[in-house]
Amino acid sequence: MQPQSPDLAIIGGGAAGLAAAIFAAEAAPPGHRIVVLDGAKTLGAKILVSGGGRCNVTHHEVRPKDFNGSKHIVRNVLSEFDVAATIRWFASLGVDLKREPTGKLFPIANSARAVLKALLDRCDALRITLLTSRRVTAIVPPSDANRSFQIHHADGALTCQRVILSTGG
């Protein structure tokens, strides 16, 4: 069943969108409804091909200069969630990581499918609604008359209080 009025809608069901949904659900009060909308028929295609099908999760060293954009913002993000936190988070999902000579961190299982399964299983455990084949066509921001976002997608529309855009680059 599709929630018509979730509290939070996340546009994009890739690795970042699924992680955002998990973090939001873990921090949310009881009963908070979260939905992820993605245009793909199935989630995780890019996860499954990353790292030659093994899914390189991160690198042993991640620095602000490795990113485009505001170094100040990236520095703040990395100070809150660094490589060690990433390793702990994936371990909490049941995915232990190993460091290869290149510095890249891969799941010990050498399987991108293990990463995708862990993300999807956690979404399921947290009762996050995953809606596929729902390409978003418009997001109407709140107005004086309507205090909710309206999200129009390939299968209709929904309203929500908050939106996270996680559509990749």
Side-chain angles (χ1 to χ4, degrees):
M1 183 173 93
Q2 174 180 329
Q4 294 303 310
S5 298
D7 299 288
L8 170 65
I10 299 170
I11 314 303
L18 294 174
I22 292 166
F23 278 103
E26 290 175 339
H32 200 79
R33 294 161 302 161
I34 298 172
V35 62
V36 175
L37 297 105
D38 197 273
K41 188 175 179 179
T42 58
L43 298 178
K46 287 185 181 178
I47 294 170
L48 294 177
V49 299
S50 70
R54 297 188 308 133
C55 191
N56 51 311
V57 172
T58 190
H59 197 271
H60 82 283
E61 183 179 26
V62 180
R63 303 163 302 200
K65 73 178 191 171
D66 298 329
F67 294 86
N68 292 320
S70 169
K71 302 303 179 211
H72 174 73
I73 291 171
V74 172
R75 188 177 310 104
N76 289 343
V77 170
L78 293 176
S79 72
E80 291 296 319
F81 201 80
D82 60 7
V83 173
T86 302
I87 293 168
R88 285 190 305 273
W89 187 68
F90 274 98
S92 77
L93 297 175
V95 179
D96 292 320
L97 303 176
K98 64 179 178 177
R99 178 179 167 184
E100 297 201 342
T102 61
K104 294 176 183 176
L105 298 177
F106 286 88
I108 288 174
N110 277 326
S111 170
R113 194 160 303 282
V115 172
L116 178 59
K117 182 179 181 331
L119 293 170
L120 294 176
D121 286 351
R122 187 65 181 144
C123 285
D124 185 55
L126 292 167
R127 300 177 56 107
I128 296 165
T129 302
L130 304 175
L131 300 176
T132 58
S133 300
R134 302 299 202 293
R135 182 174 179 81
V136 171
T137 56
I139 301 173
V140 180
S143 64
D144 290 337
N146 183 359
R147 296 188 180 266
S148 298
F149 287 92
Q150 296 177 7
I151 300 175
H152 300 271
H153 56 83
D155 197 40
L158 56 83
T159 62
C160 62
Q161 297 303 305
R162 292 179 174 81
V163 176
I164 294 175
L165 295 176
S166 184
T167 55

